[in-house]
Amino acid sequence: EESLQMWDLNKRLEAYLARVKFLEEENELLRAEIQSAKGSPTGESWRAKYEEELRALRDALDHAFREKCTAELARDNLYEEVQQVKSRCQKEQAAREAAKKQLSLSRKELEEERRAQIWLKERAVQLEKEVEALLEVHEEEKAGLDQEIASFSQSLESFRCAPVAFQPVEVEDYSKRLSEIWKGAVETYKTEVSQLEGSLSQAKENLWKAVEDNQQSQLQLQHLEKDLAGLKARKEMLEENLARQWQEQRGEAEKFQVGKLAMEALEQEKQTLRVQIAQVLEDRQQLMHLKMSLSLEVATYR
């Protein structure tokens, strides 16, 4: 039984010694590789290159962040300018609507003035016809009176008696009344004609004023249309600039994302190297513990 135990211990010791020898050889290889990596200029250049690339990526990240802030400020400024242009366009549109309303009102007033002028012309023609009719009636009445006076004078000559004074007086009074009526009619016609002329002149002044207001409204409308076209062109230019800024910002963001991914990859590689170094150190520590335990077992076996 003791010989079997000794044989088992010999087998275990042989396995332990082979394992220790293999791990020591691997440890020596790793130590030599680490020393060569630390002492070789390629390792230093690789580390310097890694640090330089990391520094360049950090600088690019800072530059992209500054450009992003500048682009955001430019975007905000363009947005404010677009809002101002929109407000001005709305004001110009309101002014244009007001000008259109004023133009429509002026056109309505012009139509009313034209209708009033036509009515005044028709009224003047009607009054002229009435005056002509009154003149014809007056001429007819005058001719009749002349005939009556002639017949009355002939009847007076047929009589040999003394002339009677009241008959010619009545004829003269009648003629005076007719002349006064005719004068009154003429004066009434003159006053009506003067009133119609005043109304016609007032209508002409209102018409000229309406025409001038219409011309001014049309000029103002043309200016507003020109300003609106200029504002539309400026708005399109600002929208194009904003779209270009967005494209540039998107490109910078993509570059920033690529740099960030590269940095993350480098950080991940760094973490992987740290994990590998920690694993190597842990394996070395385990080998030391295993070596110590095997040394104790060998000492116990001896």
Side-chain angles (χ1 to χ4, degrees), residues 200-241:
L200 184 61
S201 63
Q202 186 68 29
K204 286 182 179 179
E205 289 179 358
N206 293 328
L207 181 62
W208 283 110
K209 187 176 180 181
V211 170
E212 289 178 356
D213 293 335
N214 190 8
Q215 290 178 356
Q216 290 179 0
S217 299
Q218 287 180 356
L219 290 174
Q220 187 176 4
L221 184 62
Q222 290 177 1
H223 288 301
L224 289 174
E225 287 178 353
K226 289 180 181 178
D227 294 336
L228 184 62
L231 289 173
K232 285 182 179 179
R234 185 172 176 81
K235 182 181 178 182
E236 291 177 357
M237 183 178 67
L238 290 174
E239 288 179 353
E240 290 177 358
N241 292 328

Side-chain angles (χ1 to χ4, degrees), residues 7-64:
W7 182 74
D8 190 13
L9 286 172
N10 286 327
K11 291 291 183 183
R12 289 178 61 192
L13 180 61
E14 185 178 359
Y16 283 145
L17 291 174
R19 178 65 178 168
V20 167
K21 186 177 180 181
F22 175 74
L23 291 175
E24 284 181 350
E25 290 177 354
E26 189 175 359
N27 193 10
E28 290 296 330
L29 290 174
L30 289 172
R31 187 183 293 111
E33 188 176 355
I34 289 170
Q35 292 295 328
S36 63
K38 287 182 178 180
S40 64
T42 57
E44 293 294 332
S45 64
W46 179 80
R47 186 180 181 83
K49 184 178 180 181
Y50 169 72
E51 290 179 354
E52 185 178 359
E53 188 175 358
L54 186 62
R55 193 179 301 110
L57 287 172
R58 285 176 180 172
D59 293 334
L61 182 63
D62 294 334
H63 183 67

Side-chain angles (χ1 to χ4, degrees), residues 12-13 15-24 282-298:
R12 289 178 61 192
L13 180 61
Y16 283 145
L17 291 174
R19 178 65 178 168
V20 167
K21 186 177 180 181
F22 175 74
L23 291 175
E24 284 181 350
E282 188 177 357
D283 291 338
R284 184 178 179 184
Q285 190 174 3
Q286 289 179 1
L287 286 174
M288 293 296 293
H289 285 296
L290 184 60
K291 185 176 180 181
M292 289 175 65
S293 63
L294 287 174
S295 298
L296 289 173
E297 287 187 2
V298 169

Side-chain angles (χ1 to χ4, degrees), residues 75-92:
R75 182 191 65 188
D76 295 335
N77 293 327
L78 287 173
Y79 182 74
E80 291 178 357
E81 193 170 356
V82 167
Q83 292 296 325
Q84 291 177 0
V85 170
K86 284 183 179 179
S87 64
R88 287 184 63 187
C89 286
Q90 291 176 358
K91 291 179 181 179
E92 294 294 335

